[in-house]
Amino acid sequence: MNSPAEPATFIHPDRVRRLNDRPWRPGRFVLYWMQQAQRAQDNPALQFACGQGQRLGLPVVVVFALLRRYPEATLRHFRFMLEGLVETEQALAAAGIPLLVRRGEPVPVVLDLAQQAAGIVCDRAYLPPLVAWRTTVAASASCAVWQVETELVVPADTASERVEVAARTLRPRIMRHLTEHLEVATEAPVQSADPPSLAGESLHDLDGLCQGIDADRTPGPVTRFFAGGHTNAERALDRFMRTALDGYAVRRRHPEAAAVSHLSPYLQYGQISAQRIAATVAARPGTASADRDAFLDELIVRRELAHNFTLRHPAWDRYEGIPAWARESLARHAGDPRPHVYDLTQLEAATTHDPYWNAAMTEARLTGYMHNHLRMYWGKKILEWSPDAQTAHARCLYLNNRYFLDGLSPNGYANVGWLFGLHDRPWPERPIFGTVRYMNAAGLERKCDIAAYVAGIRRLAVDDIKPSRNCHKV
């Protein structure tokens, strides 16, 4: 019983990795520890667990560890995540598979259930603290622990085992394996036996459940703009395919057009499969290659470059993760005069002299989202308006993680790093920025209808203060 047989659904072997050398053993169930891939659909880890349940004649039990507190996470993040888990619980229940939501740190929660399990299957994480949870469980459990890649199109170890310096170095490595990893296993999860009755938290009262979470409640839920769950993720994908994929290569740079997918929050919480998105876009008939390739490059190459960074770079969440050339250049210009200097309170309140920047920060505060092109401008201005680059980096991370629904993710950490030169190259030298890439308001005015964007955010802000339009609060 040391090695699993092939599961009923084909899962590419590159996605499956054994985390310890312990055997499958007699037990009451196969335990799937769901943490990253919070979905029942298109979930290779769940499918692998069901395959082992069929092989062993055992039921599958799914556990999710609900932390009372996660560093920097706010009520906004927890609520979106829990909205998705409600739907996941319902989808699993339809297949006869229980989802146990248990409060506590993941390691003790999982190890407690592991005492009754024949083996453990987990999904893969890319932030080092989350990777450490899996390493500890694998070292401590007395049964087999298997990990399955659920979040990337091309598994990280298949693409590269080193820190990649830019998209241009990772792209060819990914493209060599892309076709074989676009195949999505579509079979629904199958339960093999009656599961035992085990206790978990009820997801029927999210307001009550949120009361037990120790999180900042100021950036509240944004359900009016982004409601969590696989169904809403599928709706966002369908809307993008119908209204925004055609012309995407050009229109994606226009924040006033909203010609983007809005899928990043759903990807962050594993509520939709990146494989599924990629396969759907790649197979759409009539799409211009420029539009399809532009989207897939962002979804696959750029996104997986971010995961490569947080997985492999020891300073993934610190200023020291910025390339040496950029840090040295910024240091040379540390004493340059700054026409405007703001403190964090002014930035957070969006009270700068710049109406474009204020509108972008307001959008993030109200909706949990900011258009990618504006995120670049937003972060570059924080660098320009802060007393030094280290302070600017810390401010960008703080605001990114506090307000963006897709904050606290590999993409978030890498995107902040990019503002300071990560995955970029030196540019012509200029004050304050040195050789780090610069952006200004004139560039926004040339490339998009920024005035229309600002007007739209102002209308949004007015609507938000009307009691009848407020999203529900906890």
Side-chain angles (χ1 to χ4, degrees):
M1 298 177 68
N2 286 353
S3 59
E6 285 294 321
T9 297
F10 173 75
I11 299 169
H12 197 292
D14 288 356
R15 295 189 171 274
V16 182
R17 178 183 177 191
R18 188 165 190 167
L19 296 187
N20 65 15
D21 59 359
R22 277 138 223 176
W24 292 88
R25 65 183 184 186
R28 298 180 68 193
F29 49 80
V30 172
L31 181 64
Y32 168 34
W33 168 23
M34 174 186 285
Q35 205 72 41
Q36 185 65 39
Q38 299 170 23
R39 62 183 184 272
Q41 301 84 357
D42 306 320
N43 185 337
L46 174 61
Q47 292 166 336
F48 184 85
C50 289
Q52 300 318 307
Q54 293 172 37
R55 181 177 70 86
L56 299 170
L58 292 173
V60 171
V61 170
V62 181
V63 64
F64 180 88
L66 177 61
L67 287 89
R68 294 185 182 275
R69 182 179 184 279
Y70 184 82
E72 299 184 85
T74 68
L75 181 62
R76 173 172 296 182
H77 303 109
F78 276 103
R79 184 75 188 214
F80 182 85
M81 180 184 73
L82 289 170
E83 288 167 357
L85 286 174
V86 169
E87 185 176 356
T88 299
E89 180 187 50
Q90 294 168 350
L92 289 171
I97 301 172
L99 170 60
L100 306 179
V101 175
R102 291 193 169 180
R103 290 189 188 269
E105 294 289 328
V107 171
V109 165
V110 174
L111 290 178
D112 177 61
L113 281 168
Q115 297 177 60
Q116 306 175 60
I120 302 169
V121 178
C122 64
D123 41 42
R124 187 171 192 175
Y126 287 88
L127 297 183
L130 281 61
V131 173
W133 293 343
R134 289 152 175 81
T135 302
T136 302
V137 165
S140 304
S142 56
C143 60
V145 179
W146 290 79
Q147 176 180 270
V148 182
E149 169 59 61
T150 60
E151 298 309 292
L152 302 186
V153 177
V154 176
D157 297 335
T158 301
S160 175
E161 295 186 350
R162 69 183 192 189
V163 178
E164 295 294 334
V165 299
R168 69 179 183 277
T169 66
L170 181 61
R171 186 176 291 107
R173 295 172 178 271
I174 283 178
M175 296 308 294
R176 283 198 290 269
H177 304 279
L178 182 57
T179 300
E180 62 185 299
H181 286 287
L182 281 177
E183 182 179 353
V184 183
T186 58
E187 288 83 353
V190 176
Q191 182 66 290
S192 298
D194 292 333
S197 179
L198 298 165
E201 296 283 344
S202 171
L203 292 173
H204 295 152
D205 178 14
L206 291 192
D207 288 351
L209 193 58
C210 285
Q211 292 299 330
I213 292 172
D214 180 15
D216 187 345
R217 281 157 156 69
T218 303
V222 288
T223 305
R224 172 186 162 195
F225 305 101
F226 289 94
H230 179 76
T231 297
N232 288 314
E234 288 280 0
R235 286 172 180 159
L237 175 59
D238 178 68
R239 184 168 54 249
F240 172 68
M241 297 285 287
R242 288 185 291 102
T243 67
L245 180 55
D246 291 335
Y248 178 78
V250 173
R251 298 175 67 227
R252 61 178 168 159
R253 295 184 175 87
H254 290 256
E256 78 282 5
V260 292
S261 72
H262 295 105
L263 286 168
S264 60
Y266 301 102
L267 286 165
Q268 153 68 347
Y269 291 93
Q271 295 176 2
I272 191 170
S273 160
Q275 259 189 307
R276 165 65 61 197
I277 297 170
T280 302
V281 171
R284 182 178 184 267
T287 301
S289 59
D291 296 327
R292 181 185 63 245
D293 293 349
F295 179 79
L296 292 178
D297 193 69
E298 290 186 357
L299 174 70
I300 302 172
V301 177
R302 300 287 177 172
R303 183 169 179 266
E304 299 195 9
L305 180 64
H307 286 68
N308 170 276
F309 172 65
T310 57
L311 180 66
R312 311 226 184 267
H313 201 295
W316 57 279
D317 61 343
R318 304 194 303 277
Y319 183 73
E320 290 72 23
I322 305 305
W325 67 263
R327 284 183 282 120
E328 291 165 3
S329 181
L330 290 167
R332 288 195 301 271
H333 290 268
D336 290 358
R338 285 160 163 76
H340 302 277
V341 178
Y342 295 103
D343 61 29
L344 183 58
T345 300
Q346 292 170 304
L347 294 173
E348 200 163 4
T351 55
T352 77
H353 71 285
D354 184 336
Y356 306 157
W357 194 95
N358 292 343
M361 187 68 236
T362 299
E363 181 183 28
R365 287 202 345 252
L366 292 181
T367 73
Y369 171 82
M370 186 188 295
H371 189 281
N372 270 349
H373 196 58
L374 282 174
R375 288 195 198 197
M376 300 179 201
Y377 181 77
W378 170 84
K380 296 292 186 180
K381 287 301 174 183
I382 293 176
L383 171 56
E384 184 177 339
W385 299 337
S386 295
D388 55 73
Q390 292 90 333
T391 299
H393 185 268
R395 289 175 172 181
C396 286
L397 275 182
Y398 169 80
L399 295 171
N400 179 85
N401 290 347
R402 179 174 170 80
Y403 288 104
F404 296 169
L405 274 177
D406 60 1
L408 298 167
S409 68
N411 272 49
Y413 288 103
N415 286 345
V416 168
W418 183 88
L419 299 168
F420 297 81
L422 178 67
H423 300 147
D424 206 356
R425 60 175 176 82
W427 289 71
E429 194 153 8
R430 62 182 305 123
I432 302 175
F433 288 80
T435 56
V436 171
R437 186 193 298 250
Y438 172 73
M439 287 186 71
N440 62 14
L444 287 179
E445 293 164 353
R446 283 196 312 272
K447 296 177 181 178
C448 65
D449 188 351
I450 191 64
Y453 167 78
V454 171
I457 298 302
R458 285 175 177 164
R459 288 192 297 271
L460 195 68
V462 169
D463 286 347
D464 188 69
I465 64 175
K466 297 177 182 176
S468 63
R469 297 294 299 274
N470 281 352
C471 61
H472 56 269
K473 302 291 193 294
V474 174

